[in-house]
Amino acid sequence: MKARHLEILQEKGFPVPKFILVSENEEADLSFSERDCFAVRSNFSTEDGGEHSFAGQFLTRLNVKREKVQEAVQEVFASYAGSLDYKEKANRGRTEYYLKEQGKEEKQKNAERQENREKQESTEQKKAEVLVETVLIQEMLFPEKSGVLFTKNPKGILSEMVVILGEGLGDKVVEDQENVLTYHYFPGECLYQEGLDTGLALKEEELKTLFTLGERIEQLFQKPMDIEFAIEKGKVYILQAREITTLDMHLPVRILDNSNISESFPGICLPLSESFAVEMYSGIFTSLGRRFLGKRVSSYEELFQRMVGGFSGRMYYEISSWYDILRLLPFSRKIIPVWQGMLGVSNEEISFSKKKPSFFLKCRIALLFCYYFFVSQRKMKELDRFFQERYASYSKRVDEEEDAQALYRIFLEMKEDLLREWDITLINDMVSFISTHLYGKKTAFSLETMKPVRALSALKTVAGKYGLDSEEYRREKKSYISAYGDRIVGELKLETRTYRTNEELLDRWILDSLETETAERYELSEAKHSLGKACVEKNCVETNFSEKDCEETSCSEKSSEQKQRKSFLYRLAESSCNNREISRLHRTRCFGLMRRIVDKIGEKTIGFDVYYLSLNELKELLFSGKDFSLKIAREKELRKAYERLPVLSRVKLLGKVDRDPLAGEIRVLSYESFKEKGNIEERIGMPGKDEGNRKAGKIRQKEKIGKKDKEAGNSTPRVFFGRGVSKGIFRGEVLKIKSLQEIRVAEAKGKILLSYSTDPGWFPYLNMAEGLITERGSLLSHSAILARELEKPAVVNIPNIMEELQSGDIVEIDGDLGICSVIKQKGK
């Protein structure tokens, strides 16, 4: 198998060192090479099979002098004797071995064997010829670096390529005699280096060549590959390519995507938040399944357990499960792309884990969907009333209860009660997606989202008038916390400290906001003074005319808007979006109630460490007294390690698997240039491209060079495309935000905020800013809704924009077309 793979690679033009095969009693003819040293490798027939294969199973001799090759060949053949397969063949003989494989029954049928003896002997002779074992003799390289490339992470992370690199010959790396560097590459996502860089690191061109070779080899064999390579004098050679036999392809393929969910679960999540989210999503979708599938719900129950999941300490939609559910809907081929766009799913690859639903099942679901499509708004109002009544009752019980076990029982009761009707929110979400898509306008509806914003503004006014020590402020603050105390950055992470759990957080925000407002008044006064002076010196007729013209245009737009608002589609889009925000606010309150339950349980047991347990472990702690101190310590260290790893927006997994926490040094590398692999094949002598394509590639290369020359001369700005979610154009300075804790609200004034994503807790910052750019997001993201309500231009879902821009860069964003243009970069 090893030699056959090398033969195929050689035939296809891959850079493989010259080699020959010799049988056990054959004299090696070394005239194929002029080199003095060779590598003598095993080539046993079952060596690379999935059943018996393992590294180091048979002997390999490196750096063998020409005169010692025959001796090394015999040593390798001798290593075959350790194989049970080889011993059995040697003892029984090849003919008898194959008769055994064909079955004992055939041997016992004497008459039939006598009749077909000649035919059998002929067949057995051919098989014996095929089964002659060989040894591989390959030109010996003396590389500066060598290692192994896995086209898929052997752990089962299918979207990751891994390179393990060592200095010199690969045998020292295998034997742990050399320090190694490990490269983790997620195509289109990130590339990072693990380990100390002591001059061993690969150059960018070498990395690009290596990953390109890996992709081509995997495509050639149509399997995940384990590829040994060596780099000699700057050239990459492929020494061996074999299938990765450790991957269990019987496990389900899972696709995780953090589109939209990263708004509610930003950053690293603790185990209790993750397990609670899984429980909630599972319960809601199970209720939805009972509503639509009836008795057939049992065939989807396992799927409902995998709607969301954790990876490297972060929350993801298990989007492969969502596609199976969306597939049940009528016109699913049309609906899925709409859903992807509204949710902000950038990778449009669709995969299904279940068989296509039957025609009759789809008809049943179609009829039910049509019914619920039209009654969804009435149902949402009923749910609103039901939740408010139940929430008040449960909130009172939680406040009064002091027993930890009783508090846990309240949670179980609350889960069953509230989730029973909560699945109607999923139907409303779909109505919202479809109606908003069909309406096709970036209109700012009067949504529930703005109520906490206005309440916060009113609280700030009271604080400014009466002071934070006044009775008026304390009364207003109590009222605000009662209604919106759980609405904050990371509101669905149970470990998040909210205004309800820590009132001082709200006081600090109010003080910060008042200080900012005072600074604003001073700047506005200065601006008015300057403007008045300018008007005296300059004729302002043009300005007055422009203002009048703008007023007329505004009136025209309002008239058009009023006409549009009369349509059924507008009213449905407005109602469904508004009900969606109401349900999300109720969801925040529900998670806040669970947070209060857990906090009180923590006070009675192990404190904040309770958040490092799952729901099942929390139950064990309360009702059996099990000690989880070791597990808690492990989870704490894991979370610290995961904080250091680059964020992945999408990952493909084989079964339940996670990234290694990586204790060593980690360095994130640039990977964007890997996407421009147009001429990699030419530089490494790759086949598979006809001459016409090569010429076209050269033309494209010249065009790229010309484009780079223009960019160097600053004749045209760099342009990035995303999704425009709030209309308007603004040019200004970028403020890059990785964590809100790192900046004050005042720093956002007049800036364009740049972040991976946002959530409702960003309101004070966006209110001060003049625009928004995010890597993630969609038309229905909180950031999009707030931006439209505040009339701030916003462009979301721009891939890798956090790497491309820095604080201080000057950009122009177009919220209508979804464009971000770089005008000037800081320091250039």
Side-chain angles (χ1 to χ4, degrees):
M1 185 70 74
K2 182 188 298 183
R4 182 56 190 147
H5 280 176
L6 286 176
E7 287 172 351
I8 293 171
L9 291 172
Q10 195 175 58
E11 289 168 5
K12 296 295 183 180
F14 284 84
V16 176
K18 295 177 183 179
F19 68 93
I20 61 169
L21 296 174
V22 294
S23 58
E24 190 167 4
N25 298 315
E26 181 184 358
E27 187 74 23
D29 181 3
L30 303 181
S31 61
F32 74 96
S33 173
E34 297 179 357
R35 296 208 177 194
D36 293 327
C37 291
F38 298 87
V40 181
R41 303 176 184 275
S42 59
N43 187 49
F44 193 64
S45 55
T46 63
E47 183 175 354
D48 289 327
E51 295 181 4
H52 312 104
S53 179
F54 58 88
Q57 186 175 8
F58 301 111
L59 184 65
T60 290
R61 291 285 305 275
L62 301 177
N63 201 18
V64 180
K65 295 290 185 180
R66 182 177 287 265
E67 60 272 15
K68 295 288 186 180
V69 167
Q70 197 64 39
E71 180 182 328
V73 168
Q74 295 308 313
E75 289 178 357
V76 174
F77 272 116
S79 73
Y80 292 174
S83 167
L84 292 176
D85 288 338
Y86 187 86
K87 287 179 180 178
E88 187 170 3
K89 292 175 191 178
N91 293 335
R92 290 177 172 270
R94 301 188 190 281
T95 301
E96 192 173 338
Y97 173 82
Y98 267 100
L99 285 173
K100 178 192 173 185
E101 293 298 308
Q102 292 171 2
K104 294 181 179 179
E105 292 182 4
E106 186 177 352
K107 292 172 61 179
Q108 295 171 355
K109 296 179 181 179
N110 295 327
E112 184 176 324
R113 185 178 61 180
Q114 185 68 26
E115 184 180 4
N116 298 315
R117 182 181 298 276
E118 292 183 4
K119 184 178 179 180
Q120 286 179 359
E121 287 178 354
S122 176
T123 302
E124 290 162 8
Q125 184 178 359
K126 290 180 181 178
K127 289 179 179 178
E129 290 173 358
V130 173
L131 253 188
V132 172
E133 300 297 351
T134 57
V135 165
L136 177 70
I137 302 175
Q138 198 172 41
E139 282 186 337
M140 185 66 205
L141 301 179
F142 294 95
E144 299 85 39
K145 308 163 191 172
S146 59
V148 177
L149 162 65
F150 296 101
T151 61
K152 298 285 187 286
N153 188 318
K155 288 182 62 177
I157 305 177
L158 302 181
S159 52
E160 180 183 16
M161 300 177 77
V162 181
V163 170
I164 301 172
L165 178 74
E167 188 173 2
L169 297 174
D171 59 332
K172 294 181 180 178
V173 174
V174 174
E175 295 167 6
D176 294 328
Q177 295 181 16
E178 292 283 352
N179 292 326
V180 299
L181 285 179
T182 304
Y183 292 91
H184 302 263
Y185 179 43
F186 292 83
E189 287 273 355
C190 66
L191 168 67
Y192 56 98
Q193 171 187 303
E194 174 197 355
L196 290 172
D197 185 354
T198 57
L200 173 63
L202 292 171
K203 299 175 183 176
E204 182 178 334
E205 194 69 15
E206 291 171 334
L207 277 170
K208 290 163 69 174
T209 300
L210 195 56
F211 287 126
T212 301
L213 285 168
E215 289 173 354
R216 294 290 300 257
I217 292 172
E218 182 178 76
Q219 185 178 11
L220 177 64
F221 292 104
Q222 292 295 299
K223 294 176 180 178
M225 300 299 288
D226 170 348
I227 303 167
E228 291 184 22
F229 67 90
I231 302 176
E232 184 183 64
K233 298 179 181 178
K235 183 175 180 180
V236 178
Y237 290 91
I238 303 302
L239 306 180
Q240 179 178 324
R242 61 196 292 270
E243 181 185 358
I244 299 175
T245 56
T246 57
L247 291 173
D248 185 356
M249 303 308 292
H250 298 292
L251 294 172
V253 175
R254 305 166 56 221
I255 301 176
L256 306 183
D257 194 295
N258 74 350
S259 300
N260 199 260
I261 197 172
S262 59
E263 293 184 351
S264 301
F265 295 91
I268 297 296
C269 295
L270 298 189
L272 192 62
S273 288
E274 182 183 323
S275 63
F276 183 68
V278 170
E279 188 82 8
M280 295 301 101
Y281 275 89
S282 171
I284 293 169
F285 275 92
T286 300
S287 297
L288 183 71
R290 293 188 185 122
R291 191 187 294 266
F292 279 89
L293 299 173
K295 295 180 180 179
R296 295 183 183 89
V297 69
S298 58
S299 62
Y300 280 82
E301 284 180 347
E302 184 180 351
L303 194 71
F304 296 148
Q305 305 298 319
R306 305 195 309 266
M307 303 310 299
V308 295
F311 182 74
S312 296
R314 301 177 187 273
M315 287 300 298
Y316 290 82
Y317 286 130
E318 192 152 334
I319 206 162
S320 43
S321 300
W322 290 72
Y323 287 138
D324 278 317
I325 291 174
L326 290 169
R327 197 184 196 185
L328 293 167
L329 295 174
F331 310 110
S332 56
R333 289 185 180 180
K334 299 287 185 182
I335 289 176
I336 288 177
V338 173
W339 179 83
Q340 287 176 324
M342 303 305 278
L343 200 66
V345 178
S346 57
N347 189 320
E348 297 179 358
E349 176 191 355
I350 299 172
S351 66
F352 302 109
S353 62
K354 298 187 71 66
K355 293 181 180 179
K356 186 177 180 180
S358 68
F359 173 77
F360 295 105
L361 180 59
K362 293 204 75 167
C363 286
R364 167 195 166 91
I365 292 172
L367 291 172
L368 286 170
F369 182 77
C370 289
Y371 167 73
Y372 283 112
F373 188 89
F374 289 103
V375 303
S376 59
Q377 303 314 294
R378 174 172 60 82
K379 292 282 187 182
M380 287 297 292
K381 290 178 181 177
E382 292 173 359
L383 178 64
D384 180 31
R385 291 192 293 270
F386 170 80
F387 176 82
Q388 293 197 48
E389 176 187 332
R390 290 292 199 276
Y391 175 78
S393 172
Y394 284 119
S395 183
K396 183 179 179 182
R397 288 175 61 187
V398 170
D399 288 341
E400 293 174 352
E401 186 58 66
E402 295 299 327
D403 180 72
Q405 293 184 353
L407 284 165
Y408 188 86
R409 292 190 185 99
I410 291 176
F411 150 67
L412 295 177
E413 182 184 340
M414 182 177 71
K415 182 186 74 169
E416 294 298 323
D417 190 19
L418 295 181
L419 292 187
R420 191 169 58 249
E421 299 294 331
W422 203 268
D423 60 300
I424 195 67
T425 63
L426 297 174
I427 300 172
N428 181 75
D429 284 354
M430 190 56 64
V431 173
S432 175
F433 290 156
I434 294 172
S435 58
T436 305
H437 173 74
L438 293 176
Y439 185 67
K441 305 291 182 181
K442 301 183 182 74
T443 303
F445 301 124
S446 299
L447 298 180
E448 189 79 11
T449 306
M450 295 308 294
K451 287 186 177 180
V453 172
R454 297 188 185 103
L456 194 60
S457 179
L459 179 62
K460 186 179 71 173
T461 302
V462 171
K465 185 176 181 180
Y466 299 104
L468 270 68
D469 294 328
S470 66
E471 183 61 33
E472 290 83 357
Y473 173 74
R474 283 194 290 270
R475 185 170 57 250
E476 286 296 320
K477 182 173 73 169
K478 183 178 179 181
S479 175
Y480 177 83
I481 290 175
S482 176
Y484 307 113
D486 300 304
R487 177 127 283 188
I488 198 171
V489 179
E491 58 191 15
L492 298 191
K493 293 165 62 174
L494 299 181
E495 64 270 17
T496 297
R497 300 299 86 190
T498 66
Y499 298 143
R500 192 185 302 277
T501 60
N502 186 354
E503 294 184 10
E504 289 184 6
L505 294 174
L506 183 56
D507 294 335
R508 290 175 200 162
W509 187 91
I510 293 293
L511 281 173
D512 193 10
S513 183
L514 289 173
E515 290 175 7
T516 301
E517 195 174 76
T518 302
E520 278 183 357
R521 289 199 192 101
Y522 176 77
E523 291 177 9
L524 182 61
S525 175
E526 289 293 312
K528 284 181 178 179
H529 176 72
S530 301
L531 182 61
K533 187 176 180 182
C535 285
V536 171
E537 297 173 353
K538 185 177 179 181
N539 191 331
C540 294
V541 174
E542 283 188 22
T543 303
N544 293 334
F545 175 80
S546 177
E547 289 174 356
K548 183 179 179 181
D549 186 50
C550 287
E551 288 175 5
E552 291 176 356
T553 303
S554 178
C555 289
S556 174
E557 289 179 354
K558 286 181 180 179
S559 176
S560 174
E561 187 78 9
Q562 287 172 355
K563 289 180 181 178
Q564 291 171 339
R565 289 189 181 188
K566 295 178 182 179
S567 69
F568 167 77
L569 201 56
Y570 177 92
R571 284 184 276 113
L572 183 61
E574 181 183 41
S575 174
S576 58
C577 286
N578 192 41
N579 283 327
R580 183 171 187 260
E581 290 305 309
I582 291 172
S583 68
R584 288 173 72 133
L585 182 58
H586 288 339
R587 182 186 64 179
T588 299
R589 289 167 174 156
C590 183
F591 274 65
L593 192 54
M594 181 60 181
R595 182 182 294 111
R596 287 155 63 188
I597 289 175
V598 176
D599 280 350
K600 293 193 77 171
I601 290 175
E603 290 173 5
K604 310 295 179 183
T605 55
I606 57 176
F608 191 79
D609 283 352
V610 72
Y611 285 101
Y612 289 94
L613 303 176
S614 68
L615 280 172
N616 287 334
E617 290 166 342
L618 178 61
K619 182 179 179 180
E620 286 187 75
L621 173 74
L622 293 176
F623 295 96
S624 67
K626 186 175 179 179
D627 181 13
F628 286 99
S629 56
L630 184 61
K631 193 264 183 183
I632 290 169
R634 176 178 171 273
E635 290 293 342
K636 287 181 178 180
E637 292 304 313
L638 272 176
R639 265 53 191 180
K640 289 178 185 177
Y642 284 144
E643 282 279 11
R644 302 163 58 238
L645 295 178
V647 179
L648 300 172
S649 61
R650 192 179 181 92
V651 62
K652 194 172 184 179
L653 307 173
L654 195 61
K656 182 70 175 177
V657 64
D658 212 329
R659 275 198 285 185
D660 294 321
L662 305 185
E665 182 178 324
I666 297 173
R667 179 182 164 208
V668 179
L669 307 174
S670 172
Y671 68 92
E672 192 65 27
S673 59
F674 284 27
K675 295 179 180 179
E676 299 180 3
K677 294 185 281 192
N679 295 293
I680 290 285
E681 289 84 357
E682 294 174 33
R683 289 197 293 275
I684 61 178
M686 287 297 302
K689 301 280 186 181
D690 59 32
E691 191 60 29
N693 285 340
R694 287 197 181 98
K695 290 180 180 178
K698 291 177 181 177
I699 292 171
R700 287 193 297 271
Q701 187 180 31
K702 289 179 180 178
E703 289 174 349
K704 287 175 184 176
I705 292 171
K707 183 179 179 181
K708 288 180 180 177
D709 290 341
K710 287 183 179 180
E711 289 176 354
N714 294 322
S715 58
T716 56
R718 288 194 300 157
V719 176
F720 301 94
F721 296 89
R723 189 181 299 279
V725 295
S726 182
K727 55 189 176 183
I729 298 175
F730 181 77
R731 178 178 293 190
E733 183 179 339
V734 169
L735 177 62
K736 185 174 179 177
I737 303 176
K738 291 184 177 179
S739 171
L740 290 182
Q741 283 70 35
E742 297 175 356
I743 68 165
R744 292 167 58 87
V745 174
E747 295 177 59
K749 186 179 185 304
K751 305 286 180 62
I752 297 176
L753 304 186
L754 169 65
S755 182
Y756 287 109
S757 61
T758 68
D759 64 16
W762 281 63
F763 163 73
Y765 301 86
L766 186 55
N767 191 36
M768 294 290 294
E770 294 296 335
L772 176 69
I773 305 168
T774 65
E775 269 199 12
R776 312 298 294 168
S778 69
L779 192 60
L780 291 181
S781 300
H782 276 291
S783 53
I785 292 169
L786 280 174
R788 289 197 292 272
E789 292 288 347
L790 296 172
E791 298 181 350
K792 304 289 177 73
V795 181
V796 304
N797 208 18
I798 304 179
N800 310 315
I801 196 65
M802 284 289 282
E803 281 194 11
E804 297 291 342
L805 299 181
Q806 303 297 329
S807 291
D809 291 348
I810 306 298
V811 302
E812 182 179 275
I813 57 172
D814 184 334
D816 294 293
L817 300 178
I819 296 175
C820 171
S821 304
V822 180
I823 308 303
K824 184 180 179 182
Q825 289 193 276
K826 187 178 181 181
K828 292 187 178 180

